[in-house]
Amino acid sequence: MSSMIKCCFEPIELPEFLDSAAQRCTAPGCCCGCCSALRPRYKRLVDNIFPVNPEDGLVKSNMEKLTFYSLSSPEKLDRIGEYLYSKAAKDIHRKRYKLVEIAMEAMDLLLMACHVQTLNLFVESFLKMVQKLLEDTNANLQIMATNSFVRFANIEEDTPSYHRRYDFFISKFSSMCHGNHDNIELRDSIRMAGIKGLQGVIRKTVSDDLVENIWEKQHMDKIVPSLLFNMQSGPLRSIEEATPSSPPELAEAVLRELVSRASFAHIRSVLKPLLTHLDRHELWVPNQFAIHTFRIVMLSIQPQYSYTVVEILMQHLDTNLLSSPKTRTSLAVVLSKIIAIAAGESVGPSALDIINNLLTHLRTSVGTSEDPPPEEAHYQEALINALGEFANHHPDYQKIEIMLFIMNTVPDLSKKSHADQMLQNILLKSLLKVGMQYRTVSYEKAFPVSFLQPLLRMARSTHAPTRIIVMQILQALLDRHQNQAVLHVVSARTYTALSLESPSRADILFMHKYGGNVMRALVDALSLDERLDSLTAAYNAAALLVVETACGDTLQEFLLFVMGVQVSATDTEGLSASHRANLHSIAVALLALLARCTGVNTLMEYCDKIIEARKEEARHMLPPLDDPSFSLDQLTTNLPHLLMDKLALAEALQLAGLEFSRVQTGEPFAIHQEDTFAHRPSWVEATRAASNPDLGAFNDADSVTSSPDVQRRALPAELNFEAMKRLLAESSDSAKREAKERKAHMAKYFREANFDELVRRSETRHDAIQNKLNELFTSLTNERQIAQNEGKAAPGGQKKIYEEAFPELFFF
C-alpha cells in the first residue's frame, strides 16, 4: 500500500516502509523539505549533527552515529569531508559562523577518530576547510582553523602524500605572526595562533622528505623573520617552559625546535634569513638581541654542527668590512659570546681555520688605517676576546698549537713601520689572551723551541709596547702559583703571601737547556728602555722565573744572571743615571728574592749587608724605582764598594756547602750576547770535555802487540783536523819497503828450514796455549764436584733457596 504526497507540485509515490514523519526535502529548488528520505545516508547523518538552534552547538548523539558510520564505511570519508566543506562554505558566505564552528568541530572529531589508510582523501577536504576559514577576516575563525591545523599536524599518517602543499599555510601563518590589531589581547591571540601554525607546518613537513621542503629559501624567508619579530617584542630572557604563555616565549620555543631539527645542509637556510633580519632592522647596535638569538641557536643546534654557525657569522663579518666600526664591533662581540660554545666541538683543521679567520680580520683592521679611531680599537679588542674565548675551551696541547700558529703570523722585527708595529702588538695581544688561558704544568711543554726562540727575539724589540706584551706573555706562562700579583712591585724586602714549591726535575733540565737564553733576553730587555712600565714588566718575568725554578741546581745560573743585570748597569754606554740606578735596584731585589727562595742563609746575610750599606750611602740604588725624592745629581752609581762581588757570592756558596765554581769562574750574562738554541752535547761529550785527555800521550803498545806486522805512526805534536788529514794522506815508502822485505824473509825461511826446526820454533807458543786450556778444564771440573757435594749434603735432598728462586742459573 502506498500513499501519494505532493512534492514540488508533482506527485511522488513513497514506499510503505518509509517513516511518515519524514517531511523535509532539501533537493535544489525544493520548498517543502519532504524528500530527505531520498538523500544518501552519510548526508542525512551529517545534517543531523546540526541543531535547529545554532546556539545549542553540535548534537553529540548524532555525531557519535556519524563517527560510527565513518569507521564502519571508511570509503565514505572523502564524501563526508566534501559535504561538510560545502556546508561550511555556504555558512561562511552567509555569515552563519556558529554553524561554521560546528562543521569545523565535526571535522576535528572525525580526523582524530579515523586513523586509516584512506585518511588522505579526507585530509584534502579538511585542509580546504581550514584554508577557507583562514581566508576569512573573522579573527575567531582564523584562530579556530589554526588550532585545528595544529591538531592535524600532530597526527602521524601511515602513508605519505606526494601532492600536498603548504605554501598557503606558511604565508598565512607568517602574516598572522605580524598581526597589529588594536586590541592587544586579540592581537596576541592572533600572533600566538600564527606561531603555533608555523610550528605545526614544521612538524608536519620537516620529518617527511616526500612532502613540501620546508628548508627552501622562500619558506625560511617567511618563517624565521616571523619568529624573530615576535621574539624582539618581549623581554630578552631565555624561557624553556612546557607551555609558553606569550608570543615571544612561544616564538623562542619554535625557533629552538626549528634549529634542533636542522641538518648540516639546512643550517645556512636558517641562519641566512636570521642575519638578514638583523641587518635590515639594525639590531646589531645595540647587540643584546643578537647575542640572545645566537645563544639560542648555539644551544639548540646539534653539537657537531656548532662550528658552522661560527663560520657563517665570520663570513657575514667579511661582508660588513665596509660598514661602521660599531656594527663590526657588535658582530665581533656576538662572535666572542658564542664562540666558546663551538670550541668544544672544533678539532684539528676546523679550529685552526677559525683562528686564521680571526687573525685575518685583525690584520685587515690594522691595515685600514695607521691611526685607528677608538671604535676600531674596540673592534680589535672584541676580536681578541673572541680568539681568547675560543682557545679557552680547547685542551692545553691545542692551546700550544694555537700559540705557535699565532707566533708564526707575527711580522718580523725588521719591519719598523708604524702599521707593522701595531700589527705586532695586536697579534701578541691575541697570543697573550691565549696564554692567559693556558695552565702551565711543565715548562718543556709550555716553551717548545719553535715558540721560545721567536718569543725571546721579540723580547729584545726596540719597540717598548711590543716588549712589554712579550713580558706579559712570559709572566702568564711562567706563573704557576698565582705569584704575579705579588711580584708586580720591585722590592728588596720579603714578599708576603708568596707561594713556593720546589721545581721538578723536568723544569731543572729545561733551565739547564734554555735558562741561559731566557736570562740573556731579560738582561737585554732591562737595558733597552728606562720606562718604569717596561722595567717593571721585565722584573716581574725575571722574579717569576726565580720563584718557579730557583733551587740548588740552578742557583749559580741565577747568580750569574743577577751579576749580568749589575754589569749592564755599570758597563752599558748611553744609559741615564736614573736607568742605572733602577738596574742596580732590580739586581739587589732579585738577589734578595733568590736568597729567600733557595733558603741559603749565607747568601741572605751577604744581601742584607749590601742593602744596609746602600741605605747609608746610596739609597737611590735600592727599590722603589725612580724615587722622586732624589735629584739627578744624587743618582751616582760609581760606587764599587756598594756593588755585588762575584768572589763574595762564591764564598757565600762555599760557606753554605754548595757548589761555587760556576759563579767563581763563569761570566755574567752580558747584554747583546749571542743567543743560540743549538743542541747541547750529550753526557758522553760532556764527560770527554771535562776530562780533556791528552791524545798525544796515548800509549797504544798493547794494541801494537795484538796486531802483528802493523807499525803505529807517531801522532803529530799539534793534533787537529788538518794534521790528521796530512798524516793519513802522506805516503810512506820506507814502511812499504820494510813490510815487503819482512814478508819475503818469512817466505824464504818456511821454504828452506827443515821440519824439526819449524816444530821447535812453534813449540813454545803451542805449550802456552795447551797449558791455558788445561787450567780452564780443571777449574770447571772442580766447580762441578763442589756443587754435587753441596747437593748431597742438603737434608732430605732439599734444594737451596737460591736454586728454587733462580733455577735457570744452576743447570749443568
Side-chain angles (χ1 to χ4, degrees):
M1 180 178 181
S2 62
S3 60
M4 298 292 294
I5 62 173
K6 190 81 170 178
C7 178
C8 301
F9 306 102
E10 298 217 1
I12 298 177
E13 184 175 355
L14 297 177
E16 295 180 356
F17 59 84
L18 289 180
D19 186 4
S20 59
Q23 300 295 329
R24 289 193 304 162
C25 175
T26 58
C30 180
C31 57
C32 62
C34 57
C35 300
S36 61
L38 299 179
R39 298 168 59 77
R41 186 180 180 187
Y42 74 89
K43 287 188 177 183
R44 297 201 306 272
L45 292 174
V46 169
D47 292 335
N48 292 337
I49 66 174
F50 293 93
V52 177
N53 183 9
E55 299 295 334
D56 295 339
L58 183 68
V59 181
K60 301 295 184 182
S61 58
N62 292 337
M63 186 63 214
E64 292 176 0
K65 296 178 182 178
L66 178 61
T67 303
F68 179 77
Y69 177 78
S70 301
L71 293 174
S72 304
S73 305
E75 69 279 0
K76 300 291 185 180
L77 263 176
D78 57 333
R79 300 183 184 181
I80 294 173
E82 284 292 338
Y83 187 58
L84 277 172
Y85 168 72
S86 63
K87 290 180 69 66
K90 293 178 182 179
D91 292 333
I92 291 174
H93 182 69
R94 297 168 183 171
K95 307 295 182 182
R96 298 162 65 177
Y97 295 126
K98 288 295 182 180
L99 295 178
V100 175
E101 293 176 6
I102 294 174
M104 193 72 253
E105 184 181 357
M107 278 279 199
D108 290 340
L109 294 174
L110 290 175
L111 187 69
M112 302 302 294
C114 303
H115 290 218
V116 293
Q117 294 183 353
T118 56
L119 190 62
N120 271 336
L121 300 176
F122 177 75
V123 167
E124 296 301 323
S125 302
F126 171 81
L127 293 178
K128 285 170 61 178
M129 179 178 287
V130 172
Q131 180 174 344
K132 191 70 175 178
L133 268 62
L134 290 173
E135 290 174 347
D136 195 79
T137 57
N138 190 308
N140 293 326
L141 289 185
Q142 295 177 6
I143 295 173
M144 182 178 61
T146 303
N147 294 332
S148 298
F149 182 84
V150 171
R151 286 190 288 270
F152 158 71
N154 292 327
I155 297 176
E156 295 184 4
E157 300 183 57
D158 298 332
T159 57
S161 177
Y162 302 95
H163 58 281
R164 194 180 300 161
R165 299 188 62 85
Y166 297 93
D167 300 40
F168 169 80
F169 297 101
I170 295 174
S171 300
K172 183 61 181 179
F173 292 144
S174 299
S175 65
M176 291 172 65
C177 291
H178 293 82
N180 56 355
H181 200 277
D182 295 336
N183 188 336
I184 296 178
E185 184 177 353
L186 181 59
R187 182 198 65 188
D188 290 345
S189 299
I190 295 174
R191 290 185 179 183
M192 287 279 288
I195 298 170
K196 289 180 180 178
L198 291 178
Q199 185 180 30
V201 174
I202 293 170
R203 291 179 177 178
K204 199 64 179 176
T205 58
V206 76
S207 59
D208 194 349
D209 295 334
L210 300 176
V211 298
E212 184 80 13
N213 186 4
I214 196 66
W215 306 108
E216 291 181 359
K217 184 179 183 301
Q218 64 268 23
H219 299 325
M220 286 291 111
D221 287 346
K222 299 174 183 176
I223 295 175
V224 175
S226 301
L227 299 176
L228 296 176
F229 174 77
N230 284 274
M231 287 173 57
Q232 70 189 70
S233 63
L236 298 180
R237 62 177 186 273
S238 184
I239 301 174
E240 299 183 8
E241 298 180 358
T243 56
S245 57
S246 65
E249 297 173 8
L250 182 59
E252 181 178 323
V254 175
L255 181 63
R256 290 179 183 274
E257 182 177 351
L258 178 66
V259 173
S260 65
R261 292 174 178 266
S263 64
F264 179 77
H266 300 143
I267 296 173
R268 295 181 183 272
S269 302
V270 179
L271 293 182
K272 284 300 180 67
L274 190 151
L275 294 171
T276 303
H277 181 84
L278 296 176
D279 290 339
R280 289 178 177 175
H281 295 270
E282 299 180 353
L283 297 175
W284 293 111
V285 182
N287 59 359
Q288 287 82 5
F289 178 74
I291 294 173
H292 177 72
T293 303
F294 272 96
R295 276 180 173 169
I296 291 173
V297 172
M298 294 300 293
L299 294 174
S300 303
I301 200 170
Q302 299 180 42
Q304 64 270 28
Y305 305 145
S306 57
Y307 72 94
T308 308
V309 181
V310 177
E311 291 180 348
I312 294 173
L313 191 55
M314 284 194 293
Q315 291 173 3
H316 191 69
L317 186 58
D318 291 336
T319 61
N320 285 271
L321 290 179
L322 300 179
S323 59
S324 65
K326 288 186 177 180
T327 302
R328 287 185 282 115
T329 303
S330 297
L331 271 164
V333 170
V334 174
L335 190 62
S336 66
K337 297 296 183 181
I338 69 167
I339 200 169
I341 304 174
E345 302 296 330
S346 298
V347 294
S350 62
L352 292 180
D353 187 55
I354 291 174
I355 294 293
N356 187 38
N357 286 338
L358 291 172
L359 295 178
T360 302
H361 285 295
L362 281 173
R363 286 192 292 269
T364 305
S365 174
V366 174
T368 53
S369 61
E370 293 195 358
D371 191 12
E375 292 83 2
E376 196 71 29
H378 294 159
Y379 168 62
Q380 296 168 2
E381 191 70 25
L383 288 175
I384 293 173
N385 291 334
L387 195 151
E389 288 294 329
F390 183 74
N392 186 31
H393 290 74
H394 281 81
D396 285 344
Y397 75 91
Q398 278 194 320
K399 291 176 185 175
I400 292 294
E401 294 296 330
I402 292 173
M403 287 192 288
L404 281 171
F405 186 80
I406 297 174
M407 179 61 74
N408 292 331
T409 62
V410 178
D412 191 77
L413 291 176
S414 60
K415 299 180 179 180
K416 304 294 185 180
S417 66
H418 181 66
D420 289 326
Q421 290 180 347
M422 282 188 58
L423 183 58
Q424 289 173 4
N425 292 348
I426 292 297
L427 295 178
L428 287 175
K429 283 182 180 178
S430 63
L431 181 59
L432 173 62
K433 197 71 176 181
V434 180
M436 293 174 64
Q437 314 295 341
Y438 181 76
R439 295 293 174 263
T440 304
V441 177
S442 170
Y443 291 141
E444 188 80 26
K445 295 180 180 179
F447 294 102
V449 178
S450 56
F451 174 68
L452 182 62
Q453 187 171 7
L455 188 65
L456 296 183
R457 188 167 58 250
M458 291 185 180
R460 297 179 169 91
S461 172
T462 56
H463 189 230
T466 300
R467 194 167 58 252
I468 292 174
I469 297 174
V470 172
M471 292 302 153
Q472 292 173 348
I473 294 172
L474 287 173
Q475 294 165 19
L477 296 177
L478 288 172
D479 188 15
R480 291 183 296 192
H481 299 89
Q482 287 71 49
N483 291 317
Q484 183 177 357
V486 181
L487 298 171
H488 76 285
V489 177
V490 182
S491 175
R493 299 189 303 271
T494 301
Y495 288 98
T496 58
L498 193 64
S499 177
L500 295 175
E501 183 180 353
S502 299
S504 64
R505 186 62 184 167
D507 292 338
I508 295 175
L509 292 176
F510 172 81
M511 289 301 295
H512 286 327
K513 288 182 180 179
Y514 308 116
N517 303 96
V518 179
M519 294 175 190
R520 278 189 287 271
L522 291 173
V523 172
D524 288 344
L526 287 168
S527 61
L528 282 172
D529 193 2
E530 63 178 347
R531 292 171 46 180
L532 285 182
D533 54 352
S534 179
L535 292 174
T536 305
Y539 169 78
N540 199 337
L544 285 171
L545 187 66
V546 171
V547 170
E548 294 291 344
T549 61
C551 63
D553 293 329
T554 60
L555 178 58
Q556 296 187 79
E557 297 294 325
F558 278 115
L559 288 176
L560 290 178
F561 167 57
V562 173
M563 291 300 300
V565 176
Q566 179 176 277
V567 169
S568 67
T570 56
D571 297 349
T572 306
E573 298 180 358
L575 297 184
S576 64
S578 61
H579 193 182
R580 295 181 190 276
N582 289 334
L583 289 180
H584 284 297
S585 301
I586 289 175
V588 74
L590 289 174
L591 180 62
L593 181 64
L594 181 62
R596 189 236 168 142
C597 292
T598 55
V600 181
N601 294 327
T602 55
L603 201 59
M604 291 182 184
E605 294 173 359
Y606 177 71
C607 182
D608 291 339
K609 290 179 181 179
I610 294 177
I611 293 174
E612 292 300 327
R614 290 186 181 183
K615 282 182 179 180
E616 295 179 359
E617 300 184 41
R619 184 67 182 79
H620 57 276
M621 295 176 65
L622 292 173
L625 304 183
D626 266 0
D627 192 339
S629 61
F630 297 101
S631 59
L632 291 177
D633 56 349
Q634 294 177 321
L635 298 180
T636 177
T637 57
N638 190 15
L639 302 169
H641 63 285
L642 297 180
L643 301 182
M644 293 174 284
D645 184 61
K646 276 179 54 178
L647 297 180
L649 292 174
E651 184 180 358
L653 294 181
Q654 185 179 11
L655 292 175
L658 300 174
E659 180 64 31
F660 62 92
S661 59
R662 172 84 171 120
V663 176
Q664 190 174 20
T665 61
E667 292 294 329
F669 293 110
I671 63 173
H672 307 308
Q673 190 173 352
E674 184 179 356
D675 202 359
T676 59
F677 284 78
H679 173 66
R680 298 178 70 90
S682 65
W683 66 272
V684 178
E685 297 168 345
T687 304
R688 290 177 179 173
S691 61
N692 193 16
D694 185 5
L695 296 179
F698 179 69
N699 185 6
D700 60 343
D702 294 337
S703 178
V704 172
T705 56
S706 64
S707 302
D709 300 334
V710 177
Q711 288 187 347
R712 297 290 180 179
R713 298 181 186 179
L715 292 174
E718 183 183 358
L719 184 61
N720 54 30
F721 178 75
E722 294 297 333
M724 295 293 293
K725 186 177 180 181
R726 288 194 302 270
L727 183 63
L728 292 175
E730 68 180 5
S731 60
S732 177
D733 297 336
S734 60
K736 293 180 180 179
R737 184 168 56 255
E738 290 176 2
K740 186 176 180 181
E741 291 176 357
R742 188 164 54 256
K743 184 177 180 180
H745 177 73
M746 186 66 67
K748 181 179 179 181
Y749 177 79
F750 274 96
R751 282 197 303 268
E752 296 178 356
N754 55 27
F755 179 74
D756 294 333
E757 187 177 354
L758 293 175
V759 170
R760 189 168 52 255
R761 179 166 182 170
S762 61
E763 184 176 2
T764 304
R765 185 179 297 178
H766 172 73
D767 291 342
I769 295 175
Q770 186 63 41
N771 292 336
K772 192 64 177 177
L773 290 175
N774 290 336
E775 291 178 5
L776 292 174
F777 291 144
T778 302
S779 63
L780 290 175
T781 303
N782 294 336
E783 290 177 0
R784 184 178 300 176
Q785 290 177 353
I786 293 172
Q788 290 176 354
N789 294 334
E790 290 179 353
K792 293 178 180 180
Q798 183 178 4
K799 292 184 178 181
K800 301 290 185 180
I801 184 64
Y802 50 79
E803 292 185 21
E804 293 181 357
F806 309 102
E808 66 275 5
L809 301 180
F810 300 94
F811 290 152
F812 294 98

